[in-house]
Amino acid sequence: MTSMRAGSDAQSPIRRGTNLPRVGDFNESVVLDAIRRQPSGLSRVELAKATGLSPQTVSNITRRLLDQGLIRESGRQSSGSGKPRTLLEVVPDSLYAVGVHLDPAVITCVVVDLLGTVVAQRSQSTPSGGDTDKIAADMAASVSALLDGSVADRDRVLGLGIAAPGPIDAAAGWVVDPPELPGWGRYPLRDRLSEATGLPAVLDKDVTAAVVAERWTGAATASRNLLFFYFGTGTGMGLVVDDTVLRGTSGNAGEIGGLGAACSTRTLVEEAVALGVLGAEYTVVNPADAQRGLRRLAELSASGDASADGVLERLSVRIGRGVCAAATLLDVDTVVFGGPVWEVLGERVLRTVEPMVASSPFVKATHSTAVVSTTLGENVAAVGAASLVLDGALSAQPGALLLK
């Protein structure tokens, strides 16, 4: 997807600032976000045009950001006549964030810089059993070891983001009986990891974290209205409307069973075994077994096995119908697919889903809808967990404008 030049039209993803008093932090975030979204850099004149702030306000804010080391002058831009304008860009290594993704099959930890680029990562199989305290302690130890071996200075790390399968209690920071993670029950994962690592922490659903990653640093940085279809051990949708992430009353938005598009690797492989497409040796005992069976199913489909391809075609149609319904309901312009399993199935699923979205009469008449795969790879939820920290600390939050 091509990025839009900041301030080029009314559809720019950059938030508008305000010249009213008592909103200095909001405006600072607006300016930093505008610079971050434009890799080639922006001049102060362009920033004023893009954000709606006065030139003097932009000048004051950029001076503070320069002093803090968050941005730097990156060169000059000739505008034809007159004095060349100085461009400003984000300093990637000025701040970092840590992300942890708890998936029933694998636990992934990443460290990202201010632009969301991964500078360190590690993964391990998710332990079976219900010793949640030990698993949490191991996760915290992995985070500490990853930081110690990375280029990130501890004093530049903003915090720790945690992505977990739903349901969650977002306010309390608890996971709540997550599917395929028996024995977890209601567990205070956010606070346990924060206490063990010494980092402020935030917990969100994996599908929500993934869509935050896409709008921060992935394939949808130029979109204000997007849908992320997440395919890991389970499935779900992350939603953004008018540049705002939709979380719902309890933080559990994104469940797609009602759209008929929900699926898990376990049920997909079990269907293939029941139909005789896969042998009994692929019977699922744990999530890792399911991923092994899924890879074999994809191989059979790619080799021309009609029965295996039929299983994946039926799945693709269900996903396509669910995505079309959600895309129409929310009027999005971008649909991104990703997740730990997506690299295995993505090419086959998109072969069916792309024409379904393109032929939707409800969106085709007024605008096109881009359908793309994530550019962030199988660790998109872990990158999203870290992006939760960056987004919460540095993005312009409209709630900050409310009088209290």
Side-chain angles (χ1 to χ4, degrees), residues 126-311:
T126 303
S128 58
D131 192 347
T132 49
D133 284 337
K134 184 180 185 306
I135 296 173
D138 289 344
M139 292 169 69
S142 293
V143 168
S144 296
L146 188 63
L147 279 173
D148 290 342
S150 75
V151 298
D153 294 332
R154 278 268 185 169
D155 59 358
R156 293 185 178 181
V157 177
L158 285 170
L160 167 66
I162 307 159
I168 62 171
D169 185 331
W174 293 53
V175 294
V176 182
D177 293 317
E180 307 251 11
L181 284 172
W184 277 74
R186 294 178 58 87
Y187 189 79
L189 185 59
R190 182 193 65 196
D191 291 350
R192 293 295 172 85
L193 290 186
S194 181
E195 292 165 3
T197 62
L199 295 170
V202 60
L203 170 73
D204 220 326
K205 282 184 62 173
D206 46 14
V207 296
T208 302
V211 80
V212 171
E214 291 300 329
R215 67 193 290 269
W216 186 269
T217 190
T221 56
S223 174
R224 295 176 61 91
N225 297 276
L226 65 129
L227 181 160
F228 186 99
F229 188 94
Y230 177 87
F231 205 145
T233 298
T235 53
M237 290 186 192
L239 311 167
V240 173
V241 175
D242 198 19
D243 208 27
T244 299
V245 178
L246 302 185
R247 288 180 166 88
T249 300
S250 65
N252 286 292
E255 296 299 324
I256 56 176
L259 295 174
C263 182
S264 71
T265 54
R266 177 185 291 270
T267 57
L268 193 62
V269 172
E270 286 177 344
E271 177 187 350
V273 171
L275 292 173
V277 177
L278 294 177
E281 67 272 21
Y282 288 99
T283 299
V284 178
V285 177
N286 57 53
D289 288 338
Q291 293 202 0
R292 182 173 64 92
L294 195 67
R295 292 184 183 279
R296 180 56 181 157
L297 185 62
E299 290 172 356
L300 290 171
S301 172
S303 68
D305 187 305
S307 297
D309 193 66
V311 173

Side-chain angles (χ1 to χ4, degrees), residues 19 25 33 47 55 111 146 154 163 191 219 224 232 234 297 334 357 369:
N19 295 301
D25 290 343
D33 191 57
L47 279 169
V111 179
L146 188 63
R154 278 268 185 169
D191 291 350
R224 295 176 61 91
L297 185 62
T334 306
V357 174
T369 303

Side-chain angles (χ1 to χ4, degrees), residues 83-103:
K83 183 179 177 181
R85 296 169 178 171
T86 301
L87 296 177
L88 301 167
E89 67 177 11
V90 164
V91 179
D93 60 1
S94 59
L95 292 171
Y96 297 91
V98 182
V100 176
H101 177 210
L102 171 64
D103 180 83

